[in-house]
Amino acid sequence: MIDFTLSEMQETVRQMVHWLAENEIRPIALEADRTHQIPDAFLRKMKELGISSGAISKRAGGDGDGAGESADKKGVKQTNRVAVIGAEEMAWGDPAVILTLPGPGLGGPPVEFMGTAEQKAKYLGIFKDDELRWGAYGLTEPVAGSDVAGIKTTARRDGNHYVLNGRKCFITNGARASWVVVFATVDASKGRAGHRAFVVQKGTPGFSVGKIEEKMGLRASETAELVLEDCRVHQDDLLGGEKHYEGKEGFMGAMKTFDSTRPMVAAMAVGIARAAYEKAVEFTKEHFDLGRPIARYHAVEDLLARSQRRIEASRLLVWRAAYMADAGMPNAKEASMSKAYAARTAVDVLSDLVQVMGAAGVMNDHFVEKWFRDIKVYDIFEGTGEVQRIVISKRILRDLKSF
Ligand SMILES: Cc1cc2nc3c(=O)[nH]c(=O)nc-3n(C[C@H](O)[C@H](O)[C@H](O)COP(=O)(O)OP(=O)(O)OC[C@H]3O[C@@H](n4cnc5c(N)ncnc54)[C@H](O)[C@@H]3O)c2cc1C
């Protein structure tokens, strides 16, 4: 028998995060979208409450998701399940604001999974004081997005240093980050075996911020170009040290972080779709046509039912992927399934819900209009829908070969 009941701890986290989303995040979201600014007072409050982007596990010297590390009744740790439950609620509050919360963000998982004890203490330790600080993740380049293996940023060894040259684009919180995990190649002819991950600190000579992007959605979230011109990074800032890259694990270690981050992004997509669904249901009950609430028209009922069905199916895929990660089971296929399905569902559902709301749905004093603009990116970053489907089909074919 499969049990979907949340443990006491999971339910407590869900309620607490929902409260925050409703009372702290939602109220600032429309203004943050218009001004592209998030008030410092809000960020400080979140920091004081211990809410950050990318919790740091106890294992890495933090206490951000310490609760999730306790086991459920069956003895399985709950870290990933707690994370996706929290992520859905946070995104229900607003998907753009939450990307700007202080913390290591997407830079956290590679430091945690690949870093040495000293590197974890050095880079994750900075988030323990009261300052507002961010980390970032720099993989994408102008000619290497989905084709991660094609990165062109170079790292040339020079004594105790590496000299980095290249450009990174679309980096979330890239301009405000205290450090960025930058992926570069020491030897392009070696493909992935030549890839290395460095932590580059703000202020390092040769490391600068280029263009800050103007975007259709997620306008409250900063997206920056980063430029590396003869940027010297000490060998101690090579994540995991050179030895880490000798075996197969090396660069694949970086890819493995997707197994826990993709379900998180999928959970956010579920949260946005659910938030929009709730707004649209309210609207259809209060909006009359020919003397009846539009919710009573079959076409509208059908559309709402279809939306809810797909949102709930998405959540089940997310929970399965998160459970597998908690249980230590390989979950690359399931993580990609959750991301591909939840993101696409949310894009479709948002489009349908805007339709249900008619003109009100496209007015910019309505959250649904904003979320419609925000959601598209969820089917693009952290691996596009197409890339997820490639991961899924590769795994399916590999499994078929074993028959
Ligand atoms: C708001 C935002 C924030 C981001 N934050 C970060 C960040 O913090 N750090 C970071 O490193 N990156 C970040 N990105 C970049 C993001 O991860 C990339 O945009 C994404 O990986 C897609 O790469 P691309 O834009 O170069 O598109 P491309 O890879 O050029 O893809 C273009 C189209 O071609 C399709 N395609 C590509 N290859 C294949 C294939 N083999 N088979 C079938 N179809 C294919 C894609 O699915 C897509 O539809 C962010 C992007 C956005 C929009």
Side-chain angles (χ1 to χ4, degrees):
M1 170 82 176
I2 300 169
D3 181 4
F4 297 111
T5 320
L6 298 190
S7 70
E8 204 180 316
M9 192 264 285
Q10 291 166 5
E11 181 55 24
T12 306
V13 168
R14 194 191 67 73
Q15 286 181 19
M16 190 196 85
V17 178
H18 185 79
W19 189 92
L20 273 173
E22 186 167 22
N23 295 289
E24 301 286 349
I25 297 175
R26 191 71 74 83
I28 67 156
L30 284 180
E31 187 61 11
D33 181 63
R34 284 186 201 116
T35 59
H36 308 190
Q37 299 281 337
I38 299 192
D40 259 19
F42 165 83
L43 296 173
R44 290 201 181 283
K45 192 165 184 181
M46 291 294 114
K47 173 103 188 170
E48 278 163 25
L49 291 168
I51 305 293
S52 71
S53 69
I56 304 161
S57 72
K58 276 188 175 154
R59 190 162 35 93
D63 51 12
D65 60 353
E69 283 162 32
S70 68
D72 64 14
K73 279 186 187 156
K74 290 183 182 151
V76 179
K77 74 179 169 89
Q78 307 177 68
T79 318
N80 289 280
R81 279 171 291 167
V82 168
V84 296
I85 289 163
E88 179 182 333
E89 296 308 320
M90 294 285 270
W92 179 93
D94 186 68
V97 170
I98 60 172
L99 295 178
T100 311
L101 293 177
L106 278 178
V111 173
E112 198 166 321
F113 289 125
M114 300 162 69
T116 61
E118 293 75 28
Q119 289 171 334
K120 286 179 205 176
K122 179 173 172 189
Y123 296 117
L124 301 179
I126 64 164
F127 299 104
K128 287 185 181 172
D129 69 11
D130 294 337
E131 289 303 308
L132 295 179
R133 296 184 210 271
W134 289 263
Y137 178 84
L139 178 61
T140 307
E141 299 182 2
V143 289
S146 302
D147 178 21
V148 171
I151 55 170
K152 299 278 182 284
T153 297
T154 54
R156 177 176 53 81
R157 185 91 198 213
D158 183 18
N160 292 337
H161 287 77
Y162 287 86
V163 182
L164 271 51
N165 278 288
R167 289 182 110 76
K168 296 288 171 181
C169 57
F170 314 136
I171 309 304
T172 301
N173 296 325
R176 66 180 71 205
S178 298
W179 51 254
V180 183
V181 175
V182 169
F183 292 85
T185 177
V186 289
D187 183 349
S189 70
K190 288 188 177 161
R192 288 187 169 185
H195 290 187
R196 301 289 182 271
F198 299 89
V199 182
V200 183
Q201 302 191 58
K202 192 177 197 162
T204 306
F207 180 47
S208 61
V209 175
K211 185 177 170 207
I212 306 282
E213 302 290 346
E214 281 284 335
K215 308 190 293 300
M216 168 178 88
L218 299 180
R219 294 165 73 87
S221 165
E222 172 191 281
T223 308
E225 179 191 31
L226 301 175
V227 183
L228 299 132
E229 283 168 321
D230 290 333
C231 174
R232 290 175 72 81
V233 175
H234 196 271
Q235 62 185 11
D236 292 350
D237 297 324
L238 171 63
L239 270 186
E242 196 53 61
K243 259 193 165 329
H244 177 82
Y245 301 86
E246 282 170 7
K248 265 198 213 156
E249 272 301 293
F251 189 69
M252 291 319 285
M255 297 294 103
K256 269 192 89 59
T257 63
F258 287 137
D259 298 348
S260 21
T261 54
R262 283 181 173 156
M264 286 268 285
V265 173
M268 291 179 195
V270 174
I272 306 161
R274 190 185 109 212
Y277 172 81
E278 288 169 12
K279 290 272 182 210
V281 168
E282 263 172 46
F283 180 90
T284 60
K285 286 202 240 163
E286 289 162 3
H287 193 81
F288 284 68
D289 221 13
L290 300 175
R292 293 160 81 186
I294 59 166
R296 289 291 167 92
Y297 287 101
H298 178 70
V300 173
E301 284 169 345
D302 180 58
L303 204 139
L304 291 176
R306 235 181 317 138
S307 297
Q308 193 176 28
R309 185 184 72 210
R310 296 184 69 191
I311 293 167
E312 294 195 5
S314 299
R315 185 183 298 112
L316 292 179
L317 286 172
V318 170
W319 283 8
R320 177 178 69 166
Y323 172 80
M324 291 174 78
D326 279 343
M329 298 155 75
N331 74 337
K333 181 178 78 183
E334 290 75 11
S336 282
M337 279 183 171
S338 70
K339 165 73 167 62
Y341 189 81
R344 189 67 232 175
T345 290
V347 170
D348 292 346
V349 161
L350 255 301
S351 171
D352 285 348
L353 296 178
V354 167
Q355 186 70 18
V356 158
M357 292 178 66
V362 295
M363 296 298 148
N364 71 3
D365 51 357
H366 261 286
F367 276 101
V368 172
E369 180 268 348
K370 181 182 122 50
W371 293 331
F372 182 48
R373 287 186 281 108
D374 289 342
I375 194 60
K376 186 61 198 156
V377 172
Y378 280 76
D379 202 21
I380 294 173
F381 64 9
E382 205 64 11
T384 63
E386 290 76 15
V387 166
Q388 307 302 337
R389 289 186 279 280
I390 292 171
V391 173
I392 296 164
S393 62
K394 274 190 178 159
R395 295 282 187 300
I396 291 172
L397 292 175
R398 194 187 62 188
D399 292 349
L400 281 177
K401 276 187 200 150
S402 64
F403 274 99

